[in-house]
Amino acid sequence: MSMRLVAAELVESREILPGQWLQSYHAPTMAAGARAGQFVHVRTGDWSGLVLRRPFSFNTVDAATGTMTIHFRTIGRGTEWFTRLRPGDSIDMLGPLGRPFEVDPRSRHLLLVAGGLGMAGVRMLADEAIRDGRQVVVLFGASGVREVYPSSLLPDEVEYVVATDDGSLGHHGFVTELVADYEAWADQAFACGPAPMLRALAGLAVGRRARLGVAKLGRKRGGGRPLAIGSPQARRKAFLQVSMEQNMGCAVGACLGCVVMGVGGTPQRVCREGPVFASDEIAWEAGW
Amino acid sequence: MVSTGARQGAGAPRAVEPARTAIHGGPTGGSARESVTGGIVAISGAAAAVDLTVDLAPTRGGLVLANPILVASGTFGYGIEYGDVVEVGRLGAICCKGTTLRPRIGNPTPRVSETPGGMLNSIGLQNPGVDAVVERYAPLWATWRTPVIVNIAAESVADYAEIARRLDGVPGVAGIELNISCPNVGRGGLQFAIDESAAGAVTAAVRRATDLPLLVKLSPNVADVRPIARAIAAAGADALTAINTLSGIAVSADRRRPLLGNVFGGLSGPAVKPVALRVVYEVRQVVDIPIVAIGGVTELADVLDFLAVGAVAVQVGTAIFADPALPVRLVGQLAEAAARAGHASYRPFIGTALPAKPGVPSAKGVEYRP
Ligand SMILES: Cc1cc2nc3c(=O)[nH]c(=O)nc-3n(C[C@H](O)[C@H](O)[C@H](O)COP(=O)(O)OP(=O)(O)OC[C@H]3O[C@@H](n4cnc5c(N)ncnc54)[C@H](O)[C@@H]3O)c2cc1C
Ligand SMILES: Cc1cc2nc3c(=O)[nH]c(=O)nc-3n(C[C@H](O)[C@H](O)[C@H](O)COP(=O)(O)O)c2cc1C
Ligand code: FES
């Protein structure tokens, strides 16, 4: 579905963790067209203050009720503005935007890796995968127990494994340290979170073939001609897909504000070629 | 060499049904009621009869726009990115992203940052180069009714002239906007805009290289913009556009470094409107060629303000990011405002706030320089 401008009505707003909010909006056309990994660009405030929209991932969508949720942390004036909205208030959303996660039809086992707010980016993929009969493990990392995403908000079918930096819950250490236990099991992995986490995962993905001795999927695919950066095929055949963030102006590909450097030396627009990329499409060391 | 007049007969962009673009020609009778994506344009019968046409190159071949609402370079890509959300067929013209001779990858990120009432950008002229623009986009533009003006930037006079030469005669290219004032490129960029002889020289060189309608974009980052405007007009520009962004910086949240990857960025949005108004007001009094105003347009009142100080058209930039339907909505609102005032055209709005005798600086205001 192509993007639209719609008025979305706030149905419910609640603080699920300190400073982290889950809001549900009634926006039937948006909910009908959205896929996991895509995002909306939401208008805030007025011209005197907040001049740019704010991007948020689709956290969950329910096409039956025509609702969608966003999950965000209040970090600045824009996100605070959202917390002051009341049920019945209507806000202006542009979406669905960007390219979604692409699951290979043959993948049975999906590994989802989320760092903090990165849960908002991969959460919907868990729903899609379970609906399609796949098995899902979610690895989640946070600084401490107070930041851990409630398991009650995840589908029951998901295996949920937590790591905390301070050891207050689950594995004591980084979420990336949990990956080794699942890398042979997983057919594909999907990640969203802070840039250092994504960079570390991309490094692990590169070494995976060597460690496992085989590349489980993709043996016969993509051989020869490299697939175009940003193409669904390139993502579908990748072991690891990452959802990237950049400050955005337009969110439709017009302003070139949101780029990350691609391996070919051409900047890629997070809003258009992304936000989901195959991890080997990104030039991680370029520092962009 | 292309005859710019020929553009007027071109078809509508594919995304737009012909009935909706009928408003373009002015009086259209039947299709008076319009509705716009996310907008509220319901053009009354009287407003539909208002003449919104404007010629940006009246002393040469002519660059006649259906209406005076344009979209600003760098904020509307190549006219396709906003898809069906914006009816490009209803815009007066599109200024595309700054184009250079060779491809440029632009500056490191972050490249945009919000500021009070505005934003900073340091894109650094990322673009695929003039040849790719001609190959990829011009054939599409050639099928549109809305003219596309190619914004060009370079670091030398020779490069400016070469880009103009490569655009000359290309179907789909309706005009050239010289960006002699981009604050985001390391070498040269701004130099042409701050020195009157350099500004005149680059304008003259491009003028020699092409017959395309030529707009030259002024920078606000100068002590006195008037001699520069005069030099550009004397060198053969058809119109002036004012203004480009103001140079600024932002500091990171942890206060350990500048926020933008390039340190410096260009300030745009509502915050810059008073500066843009001042520049148009000053320049209007020293040149006779049309002025297209840009800087912080977010509503009809802003358009009317710019017309009042002597602009004949406006470009909408940053505001598109928050409100993509705004430029198209402004077209209808301007027509309605003229109809309400009892005018047959929007032209009576132009220049009403200028001093009584243009060309003779008044004792009050004009010479005030803080
Ligand atoms: C594709 C995408 C999806 C996202 N999804 C989510 C999500 O689901 N949940 C969530 O909490 N956050 C998400 N973010 C980050 C979120 O957009 C920012 O946290 C938010 O814009 C900050 O706004 P603010 O006004 O509170 O902060 P401020 O710091 O005051 O914002 C100032 C400016 O910087 C921009 N900005 C600041 N941080 C970011 C950032 N990390 N990414 C993009 N722009 C930023 C803002 O949009 C704004 O223009 C996403 C970002 C992107 C690019
Ligand atoms: C993201 C961005 C990119 C821009 N790129 C260009 C450019 O390539 N060439 C140019 O002449 N002006 C460029 N501009 C300046 C705008 O065309 C315009 O002059 C300026 O933004 C002021 O208008 P506004 O306040 O309506 O945005 C850019 C502005 C923005 C915000
Ligand atoms: S935000 Fe404008 S190109 Fe991505």
Side-chain angles (χ1 to χ4, degrees), chain A residues 36-39 57 98-103 111-115 118-123 125 176 179 188-206 229-232 234-246 248 258 260-263 268-284:
Chain A
Q38 291 187 299
F39 67 102
S57 304
R99 311 213 199 207
F101 292 110
E102 295 286 352
V103 179
L111 184 63
L112 275 45
V113 188
M119 181 62 94
V122 293
R123 170 68 190 77
L125 183 59
T176 45
V179 171
Q188 283 188 289
F190 305 86
C192 183
M197 181 196 103
L198 298 180
R199 188 178 300 118
L201 288 172
L204 291 174
V206 168
I229 288 188
S231 70
R235 275 167 292 150
R236 205 169 294 135
K237 106 174 221 306
F239 171 70
L240 175 65
Q241 291 168 44
V242 292
S243 175
M244 305 289 284
E245 278 187 17
Q246 276 292 353
M248 293 195 170
C258 65
V260 293
M261 187 51 89
V263 280
Q268 304 290 311
R269 297 168 296 185
V270 168
C271 69
R272 200 89 190 200
E273 283 79 36
V276 175
F277 293 92
S279 73
D280 54 9
E281 293 175 331
I282 305 287
W284 293 99

Side-chain angles (χ1 to χ4, degrees), chain A residues 255, chain B residues 72-75 96-99 112 119 121 123 125 151 177 179 181-182 217 243-245 266-270 272 294-297 315-319 321:
Chain A
C255 74
Chain B
S73 174
T75 61
C96 80
K97 175 66 194 163
T99 301
V112 296
M119 67 178 281
N121 89 80
I123 310 299
L125 284 174
N151 181 281
E177 181 178 60
N179 175 5
S181 48
C182 184
K217 189 163 181 176
I243 56 173
N244 212 314
T245 54
L267 182 66
S268 63
V272 310
I294 335 163
V297 171
Q315 295 183 13
V316 186
T318 302
F321 299 157

Side-chain angles (χ1 to χ4, degrees), chain A residues 51-54 256 272 288, chain B residues 81-82 109 111-112 114 322:
Chain A
V51 168
L52 296 177
R53 288 170 179 256
R54 300 296 192 265
L256 306 175
R272 200 89 190 200
W288 280 32
Chain B
E81 290 80 357
Y82 273 98
T109 56
R111 290 178 172 187
V112 296
E114 195 178 67

Side-chain angles (χ1 to χ4, degrees), chain B residues 107-356:
Chain B
N107 289 327
T109 56
R111 290 178 172 187
V112 296
S113 167
E114 195 178 67
T115 63
M119 67 178 281
L120 285 166
N121 89 80
S122 60
I123 310 299
L125 284 174
Q126 183 187 327
N127 80 97
V130 64
D131 294 338
V133 168
V134 165
E135 198 178 309
R136 280 185 219 165
Y137 304 109
L140 183 64
W141 297 338
T143 67
W144 292 1
R145 172 184 298 229
T146 300
V148 178
I149 296 166
V150 177
N151 181 281
I152 71 174
E155 284 163 4
S156 70
V157 171
D159 281 3
Y160 271 109
E162 182 56 28
I163 303 168
R165 219 170 279 126
R166 294 192 195 185
L167 292 169
D168 196 52
V170 173
V173 176
I176 289 177
E177 181 178 60
L178 276 198
N179 175 5
I180 56 170
S181 48
C182 184
N184 296 324
V185 289
R187 280 174 296 144
L190 196 52
Q191 295 313 310
F192 293 105
I194 62 177
D195 180 277
E196 57 185 281
S197 58
V202 68
T203 305
V206 172
R207 178 77 292 165
R208 281 193 298 274
T210 178
D211 278 346
L212 283 166
L214 179 59
L215 291 70
V216 181
K217 189 163 181 176
L218 298 171
S219 169
N221 303 311
V222 296
D224 188 351
V225 71
R226 291 168 298 175
I228 297 161
R230 261 196 223 102
I232 292 168
D238 294 302
L240 293 168
T241 57
I243 56 173
N244 212 314
T245 54
L246 283 99
S247 181
I249 66 170
V251 176
S252 70
D254 63 13
R255 307 222 154 68
R256 288 172 194 271
R257 67 207 137 78
L259 189 150
L260 297 170
N262 185 53
V263 182
F264 298 91
L267 182 66
S268 63
V272 310
K273 184 188 147 190
V275 179
L277 278 172
R278 186 263 294 168
V279 171
V280 174
Y281 181 91
E282 288 184 329
V283 170
R284 174 71 291 161
Q285 293 172 70
V286 298
V287 300
D288 286 331
I289 58 178
I291 300 172
V292 181
I294 335 163
V297 171
T298 67
E299 60 181 15
L300 179 67
D302 301 323
V303 176
L304 296 175
D305 288 355
F306 278 120
L307 296 177
V309 295
V312 300
V314 300
Q315 295 183 13
V316 186
T318 302
I320 295 170
F321 299 157
D323 187 1
L326 173 71
V328 168
R329 216 163 58 232
L330 288 173
V331 175
Q333 290 175 349
L334 180 60
E336 279 172 2
R340 261 198 315 278
H343 304 320
S345 121
Y346 80 101
R347 273 180 282 279
F349 291 137
I350 298 169
T352 52
L354 289 172

